[in-house]
């Protein structure tokens, strides 16, 4: 089985987000980039399948050379090789077209991604890749078993959890639950040393245009100061909840 | 060409977010002078959609649509009607269908939309980014557009008018996803769509203390939620974990009890319209993001608040 894991390089979750003074771009100054947390769950699942089903695991990132440390980390966690599509991830349409091309050319059986990347919160690249490749697709996967070409998976469907079956080839968008957090793989020294000699192939992007243009970024409107209510005066809080927040 | 609104449903019932989607689509239809068509799959009663301005409702009943498959749903939708702008909810269901629609129609896909367009041509709108730490304004390059609306960002708005309900049959290439079993993961009120959410953190000390959280939630018709460590320890189910790596919410009121307000937690709830924080530590970071705060012991404040609300409602 050939598995492709899509990795997005995103700002560390504690980062303070700033934009350039003209509001046109995200300001990368002082930001540390990490593997998108949801992708990390899917990557670990792929490494488990590598051991249990003899799968090969390729990781894929779309971006300039600055995303290579994140791909090397994925190699150190255990992926066999990496591909970087040398393009700027302008929008989900562009990125999905790049991934789909690699999927088709490499005839991957299973494409694992995170459900959403924590920077642009699009949450649609996995489904777009499935649409391009005509692979089966499930979103928000919280449990996955592969037996030959048969897949059984659990998915979150907005307030309910379904167990579903389908066959490979497939695109599966994972999140916490596809593996447990305690099972996430952390690179060890041996893995880090090995990663240095694993192949990281750089390919040029296919011609795909972005369909979105960013007009600008802004920060959410700052909240006005908190209204503190004494625990001895909860009547005031009840009035605020009823009249201001219209809670009941 | 019309504006198309897709109705999220589950087990034959319309989801609350669908009323918001119809309201949003109606707003666009009015702005652009185009017609609005509302499409519902396998829903028993669609008449309630009319309250929100749905005058042309297309009902599709088909066993192939019993199991959710984004591809099959997108094909079915395109087989019963086509439009220029498609509006769906930014749910797992809506965003997945939206992605397939956008590829099939070569339309621009804009997800997590927070407000009505500031311009219809070119279509320009604000969307969430960086887990709510940034807002992004984008313009679509095409006239064909698919938007998914962040639940609770626009609100359901009633609009007068009655219309027609027609039935249509869909054609698809066949559904390849089989559902083996279904389990409900949300309580009485679905978390992502709830108007009010009552949430507890590690400050509640143990799962046995959640009775008061549930009682307060019941009283307000709210959903319950929790911080990540609470789900990780197993005090509450993972389906209640909100935040950057859990569910992102935008309720009208978020009540945080015994939650510190770490940046990753805030990232999932900072879009709430109002936030009430109950915490015994005056330095808890959550107070900085709150509208109302009570600095006190949750085990005293919450039961007292429950009694006061009961009295006020009586
Ligand atoms: C990559 C990453 C992703 C993460 N994603 C998320 C996420 O999605 N969601 C999330 O929630 N967290 C997330 N976290 C964890 C986050 O950083 C915090 O650790 C977590 O939110 C803290 O939860 P808490 O506030 O319940 O617990 P604590 O930090 O232990 O805070 C408990 C609070 O309760 C108060 N308290 C104690 N006793 C009482 C009492 N009797 N009455 C009133 N108040 C009391 C305390 O003053 C304290 O403020 C993430 C962390 C990382 C590293």
């Amino acid at each position: 089985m050939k598995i492709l894991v899509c990795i997005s390089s995103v700002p560390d979750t504690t980062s303070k987000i700033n934009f350039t003074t003209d509001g046109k771009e995200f300001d990368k100054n002082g930001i540390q980039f990490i593997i998108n947390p949801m992708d990390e769950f899917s990557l670990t699942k792929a490494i488990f399948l590598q051991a249990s089903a003899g799968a090969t695991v390729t990781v894929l990132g779309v971006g300039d050379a600055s995303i290579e440390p994140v791909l090397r980390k994925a190699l150190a966690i255990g992926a066999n090789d990496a591909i970087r599509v040398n393009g700027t991830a302008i929008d989900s349409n562009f990125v999905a077209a790049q991934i789909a091309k690699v999927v088709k050319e490499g005839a991957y059986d299973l494409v694992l991604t995170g459900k959403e990347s924590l920077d642009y919160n699009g949450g649609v690249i996995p489904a777009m890749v499935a649409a391009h490749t005509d692979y089966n697709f499930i979103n928000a996967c919280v449990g996955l078993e592969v037996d030959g070409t048969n897949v059984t998976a659990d998915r979150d469907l907005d307030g309910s959890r379904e167990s579903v079956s389908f066959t490979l080839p497939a695109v599966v968008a994972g999140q916490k639950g596809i593996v447990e957090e305690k099972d996430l793989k952390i690179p060890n020294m041996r893995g880090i040393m090995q990663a240095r000699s694993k192949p990281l192939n750089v390919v040029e992007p296919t011609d795909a245009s972005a369909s979105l243009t960013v007009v600008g970024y802004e920060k959410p409107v700052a909240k006005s100061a908190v209204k503190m209510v004494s625990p001895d005066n909860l009547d005031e809080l009840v009035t605020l909840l009823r009249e201001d927040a219209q809670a009941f | 060409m019309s504006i198309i609104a897709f109705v999220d449903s589950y087990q034959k019932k319309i989801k609350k977010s669908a009323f918001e989607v119809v309201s949003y689509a109606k707003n666009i239809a009015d702005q652009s002078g185009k017609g609005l068509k509302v499409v519902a799959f396998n829903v028993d009663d669609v008449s309630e959609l009319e309250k929100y301005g749905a005058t042309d409702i297309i009902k599709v009943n088909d066993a192939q649509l019993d199991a959710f498959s984004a591809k099959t749903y997108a094909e079915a939708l395109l087989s019963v009607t086509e439009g220029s702008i498609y509006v769906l909810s930014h749910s797992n269901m809506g965003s997945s269908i939206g992605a397939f629609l956008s590829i099939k129609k070569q339309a621009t896909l804009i997800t997590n939309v927070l407000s009505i367009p500031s311009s219809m041509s070119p279509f320009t709108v604000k969307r969430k980014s960086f887990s709510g730490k940034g807002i992004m304004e984008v313009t679509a390059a095409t006239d064909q557009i698919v938007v998914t609306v962040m639940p609770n960002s626009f609100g359901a708005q009633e609009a007068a008018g009655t219309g027609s309900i027609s039935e249509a049959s869909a054609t698809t290439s066949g559904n390849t996803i089989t559902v083996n079993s279904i389990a409900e993961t949300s309580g009485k009120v679905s978390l992502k769509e709830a108007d009010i959410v009552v949430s507890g953190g590690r400050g509640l000390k143990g799962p046995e203390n959640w009775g008061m959280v549930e009682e307060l939630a019941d009283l307000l018709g709210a959903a319950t939620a929790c911080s990540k460590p609470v789900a990780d320890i197993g005090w509450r189910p993972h389906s209640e974990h909100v935040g950057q790596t859990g569910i992102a919410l935008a309720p009208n009121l978020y009540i945080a009890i015994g939650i510190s307000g770490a940046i990753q937690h805030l990232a999932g709830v900072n879009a709430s319209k109002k936030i009430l924080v109950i915490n015994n530590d005056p330095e808890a970071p959550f107070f900085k993001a709150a509208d109302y705060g009570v600095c006190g012991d949750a085990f005293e404040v919450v039961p007292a608040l429950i009694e006061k609300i009961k009295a006020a409602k009586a």
Side-chain angles (χ1 to χ4, degrees):
Chain A
M1 178 168 48
K2 286 181 75 179
I3 303 178
L4 185 73
V5 184
C6 304
I7 302 278
S8 165
S9 164
V10 300
D12 167 37
T13 44
T14 53
S15 303
K16 289 231 179 325
I17 300 298
N18 288 309
F19 304 108
T20 51
T21 36
D22 62 0
K24 294 281 182 212
E25 273 173 66
F26 166 56
D27 183 357
K28 291 183 179 170
N29 265 323
I31 300 277
Q32 198 193 331
F33 284 84
I34 57 165
I35 299 182
N36 181 42
M38 294 197 190
D39 303 353
E40 218 177 328
F41 287 99
S42 290
L43 173 62
T44 299
K45 183 71 205 184
I47 302 299
F48 284 139
L49 289 169
Q50 186 188 47
S52 66
T56 58
V57 178
T58 303
V59 289
L60 167 67
V62 178
D64 61 20
S66 69
I67 70 164
E68 287 193 3
V70 160
L71 293 177
R72 286 270 173 225
K73 184 175 174 199
L75 290 172
I77 288 173
N80 301 74
D81 56 357
I83 301 172
R84 175 169 73 81
V85 179
N86 187 27
T88 311
I90 346 170
D91 76 346
S92 36
N93 197 45
F94 176 83
V95 176
Q98 307 310 324
I99 297 173
K101 178 166 176 267
V102 172
V103 173
K104 283 188 209 160
E105 285 176 359
Y108 290 93
D109 304 292
L110 177 61
V111 182
L112 283 167
T113 70
K115 178 188 159 239
E116 177 179 317
S117 69
L118 295 184
D119 48 3
Y120 293 101
N121 305 125
V124 286
I125 286 176
M128 287 174 125
V129 171
H132 275 301
T133 53
D134 206 22
Y135 280 22
N136 278 320
F137 170 67
I138 64 155
N139 202 357
C141 178
V142 289
L144 180 69
E145 299 301 329
V146 185
D147 179 8
T149 56
N150 294 321
V151 185
T152 326
D154 294 327
R155 66 173 172 193
D156 262 348
L157 207 61
D158 313 311
S160 58
R161 178 157 300 177
E162 289 188 346
S163 161
V164 294
S165 299
F166 50 92
T167 56
L168 296 178
V171 179
V172 171
Q175 60 182 29
K176 185 166 87 180
I178 194 167
V179 299
E180 292 308 323
E181 190 161 311
K182 63 176 175 25
D183 296 328
L184 284 179
K185 298 230 178 250
I186 299 157
N188 56 25
M189 198 36 97
R190 196 164 151 257
I192 294 166
M193 297 304 288
Q194 283 176 339
R196 292 193 186 152
S197 54
K198 287 182 180 172
L200 195 165
N201 301 311
V202 179
V203 300
E204 288 310 311
T206 169
D207 198 15
S209 57
S211 49
L212 280 184
T213 315
V214 179
V215 181
Y217 291 94
E218 58 191 68
K219 295 222 178 164
V221 183
K223 288 240 173 203
S224 46
V226 54
K227 168 105 190 77
M228 292 303 288
V229 176
S230 155
D232 302 323
N233 188 13
L234 291 180
D235 286 324
E236 187 188 353
L237 181 62
V238 171
T239 307
L240 283 169
L241 289 180
R242 193 174 51 196
E243 288 172 10
D244 190 45
Q246 298 179 335
F248 61 95
Chain B
M1 283 231 263
S2 311
I3 311 296
I4 313 282
F6 179 78
V7 172
D8 260 28
S9 62
Y10 199 67
Q11 302 206 315
K12 308 215 180 295
K13 294 214 165 45
I14 297 172
K15 289 207 159 201
K16 196 185 126 204
S17 59
F19 302 121
E20 180 172 38
V21 162
V22 170
S23 303
Y24 190 96
K26 163 103 174 94
N27 184 294
I28 295 183
D30 289 349
Q31 272 197 57
S32 60
K34 291 181 178 168
L36 169 65
K37 290 186 176 169
V38 177
V39 183
F41 290 169
N42 289 359
V43 170
D44 280 337
D45 179 12
V46 293
S47 59
E48 218 184 328
L49 293 165
E50 293 182 65
K51 269 199 237 156
Y52 301 91
T55 45
D56 188 351
I57 303 170
I58 304 171
K59 256 179 96 161
V60 179
N61 279 321
D62 191 327
Q64 274 191 78
L65 303 170
D66 284 347
F68 174 65
S69 151
K71 178 187 172 193
T72 313
Y73 269 51
E75 286 174 349
L77 181 57
L78 292 176
S79 77
V80 295
T81 183
E82 290 210 42
S84 55
I85 302 180
Y86 293 79
V87 185
L88 303 98
S89 173
H90 193 79
S91 56
N92 285 342
M93 203 183 248
S95 61
S96 311
I97 303 168
F100 275 79
L101 285 176
S102 79
I103 300 293
K104 285 186 189 295
K105 301 265 307 174
Q106 300 201 319
T108 301
L109 174 59
I110 314 178
T111 59
N112 260 316
V113 163
L114 296 170
S115 57
I116 54 160
S118 58
S119 151
M120 286 300 295
S121 180
F123 193 88
T124 307
V125 79
K126 287 187 178 167
R127 67 178 299 280
K128 180 178 123 167
S129 69
F130 297 99
S131 301
K133 290 185 260 182
I135 295 168
M136 193 175 176
E137 191 170 27
V138 293
T139 293
T142 56
D143 292 336
Q144 296 267 326
I145 292 149
V146 179
V147 292
T148 68
V149 182
M150 163 98 181
N152 282 333
S153 59
F154 179 71
Q157 293 169 9
E158 296 202 6
T162 51
S164 68
I165 300 175
S166 58
E167 294 204 12
S169 35
T171 30
T172 73
S173 61
N175 195 341
T176 52
I177 308 263
T178 319
V179 175
N180 310 319
S181 62
I182 300 172
E184 298 294 320
T185 49
S186 65
K188 284 170 232 162
V189 184
S190 139
L191 182 52
K192 202 159 168 136
E193 301 189 324
D195 262 340
I196 304 178
V197 174
V198 184
S199 188
R202 205 148 49 178
L204 287 178
K205 314 267 188 291
E208 66 282 4
N209 297 325
W210 245 264
M212 63 183 188
V213 174
E214 279 164 355
E215 191 178 353
L216 180 58
D218 270 352
L219 202 55
L220 297 172
T224 52
C226 67
S227 67
K228 179 172 177 288
V230 162
D232 286 345
I233 318 164
W235 294 354
R236 299 296 290 179
H238 277 297
S239 52
E240 285 197 358
H241 153 201
V242 298
Q244 188 158 28
T245 49
I247 297 177
L249 305 170
N252 286 326
L253 175 63
Y254 183 77
I255 303 181
I257 307 169
I259 302 178
S260 58
I263 189 165
Q264 299 92 347
H265 186 85
L266 289 178
V269 302
N270 54 10
S272 308
K273 315 274 174 317
K274 299 277 178 187
I275 296 177
L276 161 62
V277 168
I278 301 171
N279 197 305
N280 63 3
D281 173 9
E283 301 299 323
F286 222 146
F287 283 124
K288 292 204 183 72
D291 296 275
Y292 325 115
V294 180
C295 182
D297 185 345
F299 297 100
E300 289 164 19
V301 174
V302 177
L305 180 62
I306 289 172
E307 291 315 312
K308 298 254 181 219
I309 293 177
K310 276 187 188 160
K313 284 180 97 171

